[in-house]
Amino acid sequence: MKTKMTTVALAAIVAAGTVAAVPASAATAKAAPTRCHTTDLKAGFATGDDAKPEMGRTGKQTQAFIWFTNKSNRTCTLSGFAGVDMVGAQRTDGTWSLVRSAKKPTKITLGRGDTTDFSINLLPVARSTPQKEKFVPAMFLVTPPNETKHFTLKWPFGGQILKQDGATRPGTYLNPIGQ
């Protein structure tokens, strides 16, 4: 009789346990990474020889690259376009908010220490270009996607850009993160 009672009790516990059991895959699944915040990142211009824009090559587009590195202890994602405002060195330059290209953004996942970048297409002009037609970059205010705090980066390359801050299709514009 004792054996029959133990069997019934064990059967009840097993039955109750299977109803409330959590699949092993759900118990070990990690939460998906959330987006990177400005405080998770550091930023700068890519300055290697193969990354420098050809600012002396006037009348033809060139590219500058800005990188983001995940300095946090967590994995995070970036997707979309950074906000980029160029601050000019000339009294007449002011600030120029760059427009976005038509390229489609993708989601980039950054583990601790991982880096991604994005490019800015630039249209350099000659020094002899009239002042009102050129923009001389001094600083770039770079805001990661979906953030409100920016990095202030000093423009390290010199040169001038054709001033098209009011143009519908300017020769200077930015591409999405990872492109």
PDB file of all heavy atoms in Angstrom, residues 45 66 83-98 120 134-142 150-156 158-161 163 165 172:
ATOM      1  N   PHE A  45      37.364  60.835 -36.479  1.00  0.00           N
ATOM      2  CA  PHE A  45      37.572  60.735 -37.925  1.00  0.00           C
ATOM      3  C   PHE A  45      38.581  59.632 -38.202  1.00  0.00           C
ATOM      4  O   PHE A  45      39.575  59.501 -37.485  1.00  0.00           O
ATOM      5  CB  PHE A  45      38.123  62.047 -38.494  1.00  0.00           C
ATOM      6  CG  PHE A  45      37.089  63.102 -38.705  1.00  0.00           C
ATOM      7  CD1 PHE A  45      36.962  64.137 -37.800  1.00  0.00           C
ATOM      8  CD2 PHE A  45      36.247  63.060 -39.800  1.00  0.00           C
ATOM      9  CE1 PHE A  45      36.007  65.119 -37.978  1.00  0.00           C
ATOM     10  CE2 PHE A  45      35.288  64.032 -39.995  1.00  0.00           C
ATOM     11  CZ  PHE A  45      35.173  65.071 -39.080  1.00  0.00           C
ATOM     12  N   ILE A  66      33.725  58.762 -40.425  1.00  0.00           N
ATOM     13  CA  ILE A  66      33.633  58.949 -38.977  1.00  0.00           C
ATOM     14  C   ILE A  66      33.312  57.588 -38.379  1.00  0.00           C
ATOM     15  O   ILE A  66      32.431  56.873 -38.862  1.00  0.00           O
ATOM     16  CB  ILE A  66      32.560  59.984 -38.601  1.00  0.00           C
ATOM     17  CG1 ILE A  66      32.976  61.360 -39.137  1.00  0.00           C
ATOM     18  CG2 ILE A  66      32.343  60.032 -37.091  1.00  0.00           C
ATOM     19  CD1 ILE A  66      31.956  62.456 -38.935  1.00  0.00           C
ATOM     20  N   GLY A  83      23.433  62.258 -36.972  1.00  0.00           N
ATOM     21  CA  GLY A  83      23.191  63.663 -37.276  1.00  0.00           C
ATOM     22  C   GLY A  83      24.551  64.327 -37.390  1.00  0.00           C
ATOM     23  O   GLY A  83      25.411  64.103 -36.543  1.00  0.00           O
ATOM     24  N   VAL A  84      24.783  65.095 -38.445  1.00  0.00           N
ATOM     25  CA  VAL A  84      26.069  65.758 -38.623  1.00  0.00           C
ATOM     26  C   VAL A  84      25.834  67.227 -38.967  1.00  0.00           C
ATOM     27  O   VAL A  84      25.195  67.545 -39.972  1.00  0.00           O
ATOM     28  CB  VAL A  84      26.918  65.082 -39.729  1.00  0.00           C
ATOM     29  CG1 VAL A  84      28.214  65.837 -39.951  1.00  0.00           C
ATOM     30  CG2 VAL A  84      27.200  63.628 -39.373  1.00  0.00           C
ATOM     31  N   ASP A  85      26.361  68.090 -38.111  1.00  0.00           N
ATOM     32  CA  ASP A  85      26.361  69.531 -38.354  1.00  0.00           C
ATOM     33  C   ASP A  85      27.801  69.972 -38.492  1.00  0.00           C
ATOM     34  O   ASP A  85      28.616  69.750 -37.591  1.00  0.00           O
ATOM     35  CB  ASP A  85      25.718  70.290 -37.193  1.00  0.00           C
ATOM     36  CG  ASP A  85      24.230  70.015 -37.051  1.00  0.00           C
ATOM     37  OD1 ASP A  85      23.576  69.756 -38.072  1.00  0.00           O
ATOM     38  OD2 ASP A  85      23.729  70.065 -35.916  1.00  0.00           O
ATOM     39  N   MET A  86      28.126  70.593 -39.624  1.00  0.00           N
ATOM     40  CA  MET A  86      29.465  71.143 -39.822  1.00  0.00           C
ATOM     41  C   MET A  86      29.449  72.591 -39.346  1.00  0.00           C
ATOM     42  O   MET A  86      28.555  73.353 -39.709  1.00  0.00           O
ATOM     43  CB  MET A  86      29.872  71.116 -41.296  1.00  0.00           C
ATOM     44  CG  MET A  86      30.081  69.739 -41.858  1.00  0.00           C
ATOM     45  SD  MET A  86      30.861  69.751 -43.506  1.00  0.00           S
ATOM     46  CE  MET A  86      29.793  70.801 -44.469  1.00  0.00           C
ATOM     47  N   VAL A  87      30.431  72.942 -38.544  1.00  0.00           N
ATOM     48  CA  VAL A  87      30.587  74.311 -38.079  1.00  0.00           C
ATOM     49  C   VAL A  87      31.752  74.901 -38.862  1.00  0.00           C
ATOM     50  O   VAL A  87      32.846  74.325 -38.893  1.00  0.00           O
ATOM     51  CB  VAL A  87      30.873  74.364 -36.563  1.00  0.00           C
ATOM     52  CG1 VAL A  87      31.063  75.794 -36.094  1.00  0.00           C
ATOM     53  CG2 VAL A  87      29.746  73.676 -35.783  1.00  0.00           C
ATOM     54  N   GLY A  88      31.506  76.056 -39.495  1.00  0.00           N
ATOM     55  CA  GLY A  88      32.511  76.648 -40.359  1.00  0.00           C
ATOM     56  C   GLY A  88      33.540  77.496 -39.644  1.00  0.00           C
ATOM     57  O   GLY A  88      33.293  78.018 -38.555  1.00  0.00           O
ATOM     58  N   ALA A  89      34.699  77.637 -40.286  1.00  0.00           N
ATOM     59  CA  ALA A  89      35.792  78.426 -39.752  1.00  0.00           C
ATOM     60  C   ALA A  89      35.677  79.897 -40.144  1.00  0.00           C
ATOM     61  O   ALA A  89      36.211  80.764 -39.465  1.00  0.00           O
ATOM     62  CB  ALA A  89      37.126  77.870 -40.239  1.00  0.00           C
ATOM     63  N   GLN A  90      34.979  80.184 -41.246  1.00  0.00           N
ATOM     64  CA  GLN A  90      34.820  81.562 -41.695  1.00  0.00           C
ATOM     65  C   GLN A  90      33.646  82.211 -40.962  1.00  0.00           C
ATOM     66  O   GLN A  90      32.672  81.544 -40.630  1.00  0.00           O
ATOM     67  CB  GLN A  90      34.524  81.625 -43.206  1.00  0.00           C
ATOM     68  CG  GLN A  90      35.570  80.986 -44.070  1.00  0.00           C
ATOM     69  CD  GLN A  90      35.191  81.063 -45.533  1.00  0.00           C
ATOM     70  OE1 GLN A  90      35.919  81.639 -46.295  1.00  0.00           O
ATOM     71  NE2 GLN A  90      34.054  80.508 -45.933  1.00  0.00           N
ATOM     72  N   ARG A  91      33.736  83.492 -40.797  1.00  0.00           N
ATOM     73  CA  ARG A  91      32.667  84.237 -40.124  1.00  0.00           C
ATOM     74  C   ARG A  91      31.338  84.046 -40.851  1.00  0.00           C
ATOM     75  O   ARG A  91      30.276  83.984 -40.232  1.00  0.00           O
ATOM     76  CB  ARG A  91      33.061  85.714 -40.068  1.00  0.00           C
ATOM     77  CG  ARG A  91      32.080  86.625 -39.412  1.00  0.00           C
ATOM     78  CD  ARG A  91      32.574  88.058 -39.378  1.00  0.00           C
ATOM     79  NE  ARG A  91      33.090  88.561 -40.656  1.00  0.00           N
ATOM     80  CZ  ARG A  91      32.332  89.062 -41.638  1.00  0.00           C
ATOM     81  NH1 ARG A  91      31.024  89.129 -41.500  1.00  0.00           N
ATOM     82  NH2 ARG A  91      32.893  89.491 -42.758  1.00  0.00           N
ATOM     83  N   THR A  92      31.377  83.896 -42.155  1.00  0.00           N
ATOM     84  CA  THR A  92      30.158  83.779 -42.958  1.00  0.00           C
ATOM     85  C   THR A  92      29.631  82.348 -43.087  1.00  0.00           C
ATOM     86  O   THR A  92      28.565  82.140 -43.654  1.00  0.00           O
ATOM     87  CB  THR A  92      30.407  84.335 -44.374  1.00  0.00           C
ATOM     88  OG1 THR A  92      31.513  83.619 -44.948  1.00  0.00           O
ATOM     89  CG2 THR A  92      30.693  85.815 -44.333  1.00  0.00           C
ATOM     90  N   ASP A  93      30.380  81.354 -42.587  1.00  0.00           N
ATOM     91  CA  ASP A  93      29.991  79.951 -42.779  1.00  0.00           C
ATOM     92  C   ASP A  93      28.785  79.524 -41.948  1.00  0.00           C
ATOM     93  O   ASP A  93      27.887  78.851 -42.440  1.00  0.00           O
ATOM     94  CB  ASP A  93      31.158  79.008 -42.453  1.00  0.00           C
ATOM     95  CG  ASP A  93      32.214  78.989 -43.533  1.00  0.00           C
ATOM     96  OD1 ASP A  93      31.912  79.369 -44.677  1.00  0.00           O
ATOM     97  OD2 ASP A  93      33.338  78.602 -43.227  1.00  0.00           O
ATOM     98  N   GLY A  94      28.790  79.831 -40.664  1.00  0.00           N
ATOM     99  CA  GLY A  94      27.722  79.357 -39.786  1.00  0.00           C
ATOM    100  C   GLY A  94      27.798  77.851 -39.598  1.00  0.00           C
ATOM    101  O   GLY A  94      28.877  77.260 -39.617  1.00  0.00           O
ATOM    102  N   THR A  95      26.640  77.224 -39.453  1.00  0.00           N
ATOM    103  CA  THR A  95      26.541  75.777 -39.261  1.00  0.00           C
ATOM    104  C   THR A  95      25.724  75.190 -40.406  1.00  0.00           C
ATOM    105  O   THR A  95      24.684  75.719 -40.777  1.00  0.00           O
ATOM    106  CB  THR A  95      25.874  75.451 -37.910  1.00  0.00           C
ATOM    107  OG1 THR A  95      26.660  76.032 -36.875  1.00  0.00           O
ATOM    108  CG2 THR A  95      25.764  73.958 -37.676  1.00  0.00           C
ATOM    109  N   TRP A  96      26.196  74.063 -40.925  1.00  0.00           N
ATOM    110  CA  TRP A  96      25.540  73.386 -42.048  1.00  0.00           C
ATOM    111  C   TRP A  96      25.148  71.990 -41.593  1.00  0.00           C
ATOM    112  O   TRP A  96      26.000  71.163 -41.284  1.00  0.00           O
ATOM    113  CB  TRP A  96      26.517  73.344 -43.205  1.00  0.00           C
ATOM    114  CG  TRP A  96      26.098  72.642 -44.462  1.00  0.00           C
ATOM    115  CD1 TRP A  96      24.946  71.970 -44.720  1.00  0.00           C
ATOM    116  CD2 TRP A  96      26.880  72.551 -45.656  1.00  0.00           C
ATOM    117  NE1 TRP A  96      24.954  71.458 -45.984  1.00  0.00           N
ATOM    118  CE2 TRP A  96      26.129  71.812 -46.584  1.00  0.00           C
ATOM    119  CE3 TRP A  96      28.137  73.011 -46.025  1.00  0.00           C
ATOM    120  CZ2 TRP A  96      26.595  71.517 -47.861  1.00  0.00           C
ATOM    121  CZ3 TRP A  96      28.598  72.725 -47.298  1.00  0.00           C
ATOM    122  CH2 TRP A  96      27.835  71.992 -48.212  1.00  0.00           C
ATOM    123  N   SER A  97      23.843  71.717 -41.547  1.00  0.00           N
ATOM    124  CA  SER A  97      23.328  70.384 -41.202  1.00  0.00           C
ATOM    125  C   SER A  97      23.289  69.557 -42.482  1.00  0.00           C
ATOM    126  O   SER A  97      22.556  69.904 -43.421  1.00  0.00           O
ATOM    127  CB  SER A  97      21.929  70.481 -40.598  1.00  0.00           C
ATOM    128  OG  SER A  97      21.972  71.176 -39.386  1.00  0.00           O
ATOM    129  N   LEU A  98      24.057  68.473 -42.504  1.00  0.00           N
ATOM    130  CA  LEU A  98      24.152  67.662 -43.717  1.00  0.00           C
ATOM    131  C   LEU A  98      22.894  66.846 -43.961  1.00  0.00           C
ATOM    132  O   LEU A  98      22.290  66.313 -43.024  1.00  0.00           O
ATOM    133  CB  LEU A  98      25.366  66.740 -43.641  1.00  0.00           C
ATOM    134  CG  LEU A  98      26.714  67.451 -43.581  1.00  0.00           C
ATOM    135  CD1 LEU A  98      27.851  66.433 -43.602  1.00  0.00           C
ATOM    136  CD2 LEU A  98      26.886  68.451 -44.706  1.00  0.00           C
ATOM    137  N   ILE A 120      30.941  60.382 -45.303  1.00  0.00           N
ATOM    138  CA  ILE A 120      30.369  61.663 -45.696  1.00  0.00           C
ATOM    139  C   ILE A 120      30.959  61.977 -47.066  1.00  0.00           C
ATOM    140  O   ILE A 120      32.182  62.018 -47.234  1.00  0.00           O
ATOM    141  CB  ILE A 120      30.737  62.776 -44.701  1.00  0.00           C
ATOM    142  CG1 ILE A 120      30.203  62.442 -43.313  1.00  0.00           C
ATOM    143  CG2 ILE A 120      30.204  64.125 -45.186  1.00  0.00           C
ATOM    144  CD1 ILE A 120      30.664  63.401 -42.227  1.00  0.00           C
ATOM    145  N   LYS A 134      32.208  79.005 -50.820  1.00  0.00           N
ATOM    146  CA  LYS A 134      32.916  77.907 -50.166  1.00  0.00           C
ATOM    147  C   LYS A 134      32.619  77.890 -48.671  1.00  0.00           C
ATOM    148  O   LYS A 134      32.355  78.915 -48.056  1.00  0.00           O
ATOM    149  CB  LYS A 134      34.418  77.989 -50.434  1.00  0.00           C
ATOM    150  CG  LYS A 134      35.115  79.169 -49.821  1.00  0.00           C
ATOM    151  CD  LYS A 134      36.603  79.146 -50.179  1.00  0.00           C
ATOM    152  CE  LYS A 134      37.290  80.390 -49.651  1.00  0.00           C
ATOM    153  NZ  LYS A 134      38.696  80.439 -50.047  1.00  0.00           N
ATOM    154  N   PHE A 135      32.670  76.687 -48.142  1.00  0.00           N
ATOM    155  CA  PHE A 135      32.481  76.450 -46.711  1.00  0.00           C
ATOM    156  C   PHE A 135      33.792  75.852 -46.212  1.00  0.00           C
ATOM    157  O   PHE A 135      34.275  74.871 -46.776  1.00  0.00           O
ATOM    158  CB  PHE A 135      31.322  75.464 -46.486  1.00  0.00           C
ATOM    159  CG  PHE A 135      30.968  75.246 -45.054  1.00  0.00           C
ATOM    160  CD1 PHE A 135      29.959  75.977 -44.450  1.00  0.00           C
ATOM    161  CD2 PHE A 135      31.643  74.304 -44.288  1.00  0.00           C
ATOM    162  CE1 PHE A 135      29.625  75.772 -43.120  1.00  0.00           C
ATOM    163  CE2 PHE A 135      31.322  74.086 -42.960  1.00  0.00           C
ATOM    164  CZ  PHE A 135      30.300  74.836 -42.372  1.00  0.00           C
ATOM    165  N   VAL A 136      34.349  76.444 -45.168  1.00  0.00           N
ATOM    166  CA  VAL A 136      35.607  75.960 -44.614  1.00  0.00           C
ATOM    167  C   VAL A 136      35.291  75.250 -43.293  1.00  0.00           C
ATOM    168  O   VAL A 136      34.981  75.898 -42.293  1.00  0.00           O
ATOM    169  CB  VAL A 136      36.609  77.117 -44.390  1.00  0.00           C
ATOM    170  CG1 VAL A 136      37.913  76.583 -43.828  1.00  0.00           C
ATOM    171  CG2 VAL A 136      36.849  77.883 -45.686  1.00  0.00           C
ATOM    172  N   PRO A 137      35.322  73.912 -43.270  1.00  0.00           N
ATOM    173  CA  PRO A 137      34.963  73.189 -42.048  1.00  0.00           C
ATOM    174  C   PRO A 137      35.983  73.400 -40.920  1.00  0.00           C
ATOM    175  O   PRO A 137      37.191  73.413 -41.167  1.00  0.00           O
ATOM    176  CB  PRO A 137      34.928  71.724 -42.461  1.00  0.00           C
ATOM    177  CG  PRO A 137      35.292  71.655 -43.893  1.00  0.00           C
ATOM    178  CD  PRO A 137      35.667  73.011 -44.359  1.00  0.00           C
ATOM    179  N   ALA A 138      35.459  73.533 -39.705  1.00  0.00           N
ATOM    180  CA  ALA A 138      36.312  73.639 -38.515  1.00  0.00           C
ATOM    181  C   ALA A 138      35.984  72.519 -37.534  1.00  0.00           C
ATOM    182  O   ALA A 138      36.873  71.829 -37.059  1.00  0.00           O
ATOM    183  CB  ALA A 138      36.133  74.998 -37.842  1.00  0.00           C
ATOM    184  N   MET A 139      34.711  72.332 -37.252  1.00  0.00           N
ATOM    185  CA  MET A 139      34.251  71.318 -36.293  1.00  0.00           C
ATOM    186  C   MET A 139      33.057  70.564 -36.885  1.00  0.00           C
ATOM    187  O   MET A 139      32.300  71.122 -37.684  1.00  0.00           O
ATOM    188  CB  MET A 139      33.790  71.968 -34.988  1.00  0.00           C
ATOM    189  CG  MET A 139      34.829  72.820 -34.324  1.00  0.00           C
ATOM    190  SD  MET A 139      36.144  71.817 -33.699  1.00  0.00           S
ATOM    191  CE  MET A 139      36.060  72.170 -32.010  1.00  0.00           C
ATOM    192  N   PHE A 140      32.922  69.320 -36.450  1.00  0.00           N
ATOM    193  CA  PHE A 140      31.759  68.521 -36.815  1.00  0.00           C
ATOM    194  C   PHE A 140      31.057  68.120 -35.514  1.00  0.00           C
ATOM    195  O   PHE A 140      31.700  67.587 -34.605  1.00  0.00           O
ATOM    196  CB  PHE A 140      32.174  67.261 -37.574  1.00  0.00           C
ATOM    197  CG  PHE A 140      32.424  67.474 -39.034  1.00  0.00           C
ATOM    198  CD1 PHE A 140      33.320  68.434 -39.476  1.00  0.00           C
ATOM    199  CD2 PHE A 140      31.772  66.700 -39.972  1.00  0.00           C
ATOM    200  CE1 PHE A 140      33.560  68.631 -40.819  1.00  0.00           C
ATOM    201  CE2 PHE A 140      32.003  66.887 -41.330  1.00  0.00           C
ATOM    202  CZ  PHE A 140      32.899  67.852 -41.757  1.00  0.00           C
ATOM    203  N   LEU A 141      29.774  68.385 -35.429  1.00  0.00           N
ATOM    204  CA  LEU A 141      28.957  67.945 -34.299  1.00  0.00           C
ATOM    205  C   LEU A 141      28.253  66.678 -34.767  1.00  0.00           C
ATOM    206  O   LEU A 141      27.424  66.719 -35.678  1.00  0.00           O
ATOM    207  CB  LEU A 141      27.944  69.028 -33.907  1.00  0.00           C
ATOM    208  CG  LEU A 141      28.533  70.427 -33.669  1.00  0.00           C
ATOM    209  CD1 LEU A 141      27.431  71.420 -33.322  1.00  0.00           C
ATOM    210  CD2 LEU A 141      29.604  70.397 -32.600  1.00  0.00           C
ATOM    211  N   VAL A 142      28.612  65.548 -34.172  1.00  0.00           N
ATOM    212  CA  VAL A 142      28.155  64.235 -34.643  1.00  0.00           C
ATOM    213  C   VAL A 142      27.300  63.581 -33.572  1.00  0.00           C
ATOM    214  O   VAL A 142      27.769  63.308 -32.467  1.00  0.00           O
ATOM    215  CB  VAL A 142      29.364  63.331 -34.981  1.00  0.00           C
ATOM    216  CG1 VAL A 142      28.900  61.973 -35.477  1.00  0.00           C
ATOM    217  CG2 VAL A 142      30.267  64.009 -36.002  1.00  0.00           C
ATOM    218  N   HIS A 150      25.767  64.976 -28.642  1.00  0.00           N
ATOM    219  CA  HIS A 150      26.696  64.823 -29.756  1.00  0.00           C
ATOM    220  C   HIS A 150      28.152  64.824 -29.300  1.00  0.00           C
ATOM    221  O   HIS A 150      28.472  65.199 -28.185  1.00  0.00           O
ATOM    222  CB  HIS A 150      26.481  65.947 -30.788  1.00  0.00           C
ATOM    223  CG  HIS A 150      26.818  67.310 -30.266  1.00  0.00           C
ATOM    224  ND1 HIS A 150      25.872  68.146 -29.739  1.00  0.00           N
ATOM    225  CD2 HIS A 150      27.997  67.974 -30.175  1.00  0.00           C
ATOM    226  CE1 HIS A 150      26.444  69.273 -29.351  1.00  0.00           C
ATOM    227  NE2 HIS A 150      27.738  69.192 -29.602  1.00  0.00           N
ATOM    228  N   PHE A 151      28.996  64.387 -30.228  1.00  0.00           N
ATOM    229  CA  PHE A 151      30.443  64.482 -30.096  1.00  0.00           C
ATOM    230  C   PHE A 151      30.876  65.722 -30.880  1.00  0.00           C
ATOM    231  O   PHE A 151      30.308  66.017 -31.940  1.00  0.00           O
ATOM    232  CB  PHE A 151      31.143  63.258 -30.711  1.00  0.00           C
ATOM    233  CG  PHE A 151      30.833  61.962 -30.020  1.00  0.00           C
ATOM    234  CD1 PHE A 151      29.866  61.105 -30.523  1.00  0.00           C
ATOM    235  CD2 PHE A 151      31.519  61.601 -28.869  1.00  0.00           C
ATOM    236  CE1 PHE A 151      29.584  59.908 -29.890  1.00  0.00           C
ATOM    237  CE2 PHE A 151      31.239  60.403 -28.225  1.00  0.00           C
ATOM    238  CZ  PHE A 151      30.265  59.560 -28.738  1.00  0.00           C
ATOM    239  N   THR A 152      31.864  66.427 -30.399  1.00  0.00           N
ATOM    240  CA  THR A 152      32.444  67.552 -31.133  1.00  0.00           C
ATOM    241  C   THR A 152      33.802  67.106 -31.643  1.00  0.00           C
ATOM    242  O   THR A 152      34.704  66.811 -30.863  1.00  0.00           O
ATOM    243  CB  THR A 152      32.591  68.792 -30.227  1.00  0.00           C
ATOM    244  OG1 THR A 152      31.299  69.141 -29.718  1.00  0.00           O
ATOM    245  CG2 THR A 152      33.177  69.962 -30.998  1.00  0.00           C
ATOM    246  N   LEU A 153      33.924  67.012 -32.968  1.00  0.00           N
ATOM    247  CA  LEU A 153      35.154  66.540 -33.601  1.00  0.00           C
ATOM    248  C   LEU A 153      35.783  67.662 -34.411  1.00  0.00           C
ATOM    249  O   LEU A 153      35.115  68.297 -35.235  1.00  0.00           O
ATOM    250  CB  LEU A 153      34.858  65.364 -34.539  1.00  0.00           C
ATOM    251  CG  LEU A 153      34.115  64.161 -33.943  1.00  0.00           C
ATOM    252  CD1 LEU A 153      33.831  63.131 -35.031  1.00  0.00           C
ATOM    253  CD2 LEU A 153      34.902  63.554 -32.806  1.00  0.00           C
ATOM    254  N   LYS A 154      37.059  67.911 -34.185  1.00  0.00           N
ATOM    255  CA  LYS A 154      37.789  68.913 -34.952  1.00  0.00           C
ATOM    256  C   LYS A 154      38.079  68.346 -36.340  1.00  0.00           C
ATOM    257  O   LYS A 154      38.512  67.196 -36.472  1.00  0.00           O
ATOM    258  CB  LYS A 154      39.087  69.273 -34.244  1.00  0.00           C
ATOM    259  CG  LYS A 154      39.839  70.378 -34.918  1.00  0.00           C
ATOM    260  CD  LYS A 154      41.088  70.758 -34.154  1.00  0.00           C
ATOM    261  CE  LYS A 154      41.801  71.855 -34.925  1.00  0.00           C
ATOM    262  NZ  LYS A 154      43.078  72.186 -34.351  1.00  0.00           N
ATOM    263  N   TRP A 155      37.839  69.157 -37.380  1.00  0.00           N
ATOM    264  CA  TRP A 155      38.095  68.747 -38.752  1.00  0.00           C
ATOM    265  C   TRP A 155      39.610  68.713 -38.986  1.00  0.00           C
ATOM    266  O   TRP A 155      40.262  69.755 -38.938  1.00  0.00           O
ATOM    267  CB  TRP A 155      37.416  69.718 -39.712  1.00  0.00           C
ATOM    268  CG  TRP A 155      37.666  69.477 -41.163  1.00  0.00           C
ATOM    269  CD1 TRP A 155      38.376  70.277 -42.009  1.00  0.00           C
ATOM    270  CD2 TRP A 155      37.203  68.389 -41.959  1.00  0.00           C
ATOM    271  NE1 TRP A 155      38.386  69.749 -43.275  1.00  0.00           N
ATOM    272  CE2 TRP A 155      37.672  68.586 -43.277  1.00  0.00           C
ATOM    273  CE3 TRP A 155      36.445  67.261 -41.696  1.00  0.00           C
ATOM    274  CZ2 TRP A 155      37.398  67.710 -44.317  1.00  0.00           C
ATOM    275  CZ3 TRP A 155      36.169  66.390 -42.737  1.00  0.00           C
ATOM    276  CH2 TRP A 155      36.646  66.613 -44.018  1.00  0.00           C
ATOM    277  N   PRO A 156      40.194  67.536 -39.253  1.00  0.00           N
ATOM    278  CA  PRO A 156      41.656  67.434 -39.344  1.00  0.00           C
ATOM    279  C   PRO A 156      42.248  67.543 -40.750  1.00  0.00           C
ATOM    280  O   PRO A 156      43.462  67.454 -40.914  1.00  0.00           O
ATOM    281  CB  PRO A 156      41.916  66.031 -38.787  1.00  0.00           C
ATOM    282  CG  PRO A 156      40.714  65.242 -39.211  1.00  0.00           C
ATOM    283  CD  PRO A 156      39.564  66.223 -39.152  1.00  0.00           C
ATOM    284  N   GLY A 158      41.690  70.001 -43.456  1.00  0.00           N
ATOM    285  CA  GLY A 158      41.838  71.244 -44.210  1.00  0.00           C
ATOM    286  C   GLY A 158      40.940  71.261 -45.432  1.00  0.00           C
ATOM    287  O   GLY A 158      40.042  70.441 -45.590  1.00  0.00           O
ATOM    288  N   GLY A 159      41.176  72.206 -46.315  1.00  0.00           N
ATOM    289  CA  GLY A 159      40.415  72.313 -47.551  1.00  0.00           C
ATOM    290  C   GLY A 159      39.106  73.061 -47.379  1.00  0.00           C
ATOM    291  O   GLY A 159      38.750  73.487 -46.283  1.00  0.00           O
ATOM    292  N   GLN A 160      38.418  73.215 -48.487  1.00  0.00           N
ATOM    293  CA  GLN A 160      37.129  73.898 -48.538  1.00  0.00           C
ATOM    294  C   GLN A 160      36.124  73.041 -49.290  1.00  0.00           C
ATOM    295  O   GLN A 160      36.511  72.250 -50.145  1.00  0.00           O
ATOM    296  CB  GLN A 160      37.230  75.238 -49.274  1.00  0.00           C
ATOM    297  CG  GLN A 160      38.118  76.274 -48.684  1.00  0.00           C
ATOM    298  CD  GLN A 160      39.599  76.036 -48.978  1.00  0.00           C
ATOM    299  OE1 GLN A 160      40.390  76.326 -48.127  1.00  0.00           O
ATOM    300  NE2 GLN A 160      39.991  75.522 -50.124  1.00  0.00           N
ATOM    301  N   ILE A 161      34.866  73.248 -48.987  1.00  0.00           N
ATOM    302  CA  ILE A 161      33.782  72.484 -49.608  1.00  0.00           C
ATOM    303  C   ILE A 161      32.866  73.467 -50.322  1.00  0.00           C
ATOM    304  O   ILE A 161      32.607  74.566 -49.811  1.00  0.00           O
ATOM    305  CB  ILE A 161      32.995  71.705 -48.533  1.00  0.00           C
ATOM    306  CG1 ILE A 161      33.935  70.737 -47.813  1.00  0.00           C
ATOM    307  CG2 ILE A 161      31.816  70.969 -49.139  1.00  0.00           C
ATOM    308  CD1 ILE A 161      33.340  70.140 -46.555  1.00  0.00           C
ATOM    309  N   LYS A 163      29.866  75.365 -51.047  1.00  0.00           N
ATOM    310  CA  LYS A 163      28.770  75.701 -50.126  1.00  0.00           C
ATOM    311  C   LYS A 163      27.433  75.461 -50.824  1.00  0.00           C
ATOM    312  O   LYS A 163      27.058  76.188 -51.744  1.00  0.00           O
ATOM    313  CB  LYS A 163      28.888  77.141 -49.664  1.00  0.00           C
ATOM    314  CG  LYS A 163      27.957  77.472 -48.532  1.00  0.00           C
ATOM    315  CD  LYS A 163      28.279  78.822 -47.944  1.00  0.00           C
ATOM    316  CE  LYS A 163      27.450  79.031 -46.700  1.00  0.00           C
ATOM    317  NZ  LYS A 163      27.865  80.243 -46.008  1.00  0.00           N
ATOM    318  N   ASP A 165      24.553  74.481 -48.742  1.00  0.00           N
ATOM    319  CA  ASP A 165      23.710  74.190 -47.578  1.00  0.00           C
ATOM    320  C   ASP A 165      22.226  74.394 -47.847  1.00  0.00           C
ATOM    321  O   ASP A 165      21.391  73.873 -47.122  1.00  0.00           O
ATOM    322  CB  ASP A 165      24.165  74.984 -46.354  1.00  0.00           C
ATOM    323  CG  ASP A 165      24.280  76.468 -46.605  1.00  0.00           C
ATOM    324  OD1 ASP A 165      24.360  76.882 -47.778  1.00  0.00           O
ATOM    325  OD2 ASP A 165      24.295  77.217 -45.612  1.00  0.00           O
ATOM    326  N   THR A 172      27.600  67.417 -51.036  1.00  0.00           N
ATOM    327  CA  THR A 172      28.089  67.027 -49.718  1.00  0.00           C
ATOM    328  C   THR A 172      26.893  66.501 -48.916  1.00  0.00           C
ATOM    329  O   THR A 172      25.914  67.220 -48.727  1.00  0.00           O
ATOM    330  CB  THR A 172      28.757  68.225 -49.005  1.00  0.00           C
ATOM    331  OG1 THR A 172      29.898  68.622 -49.786  1.00  0.00           O
ATOM    332  CG2 THR A 172      29.190  67.871 -47.603  1.00  0.00           C
TER     333      THR A 172
END
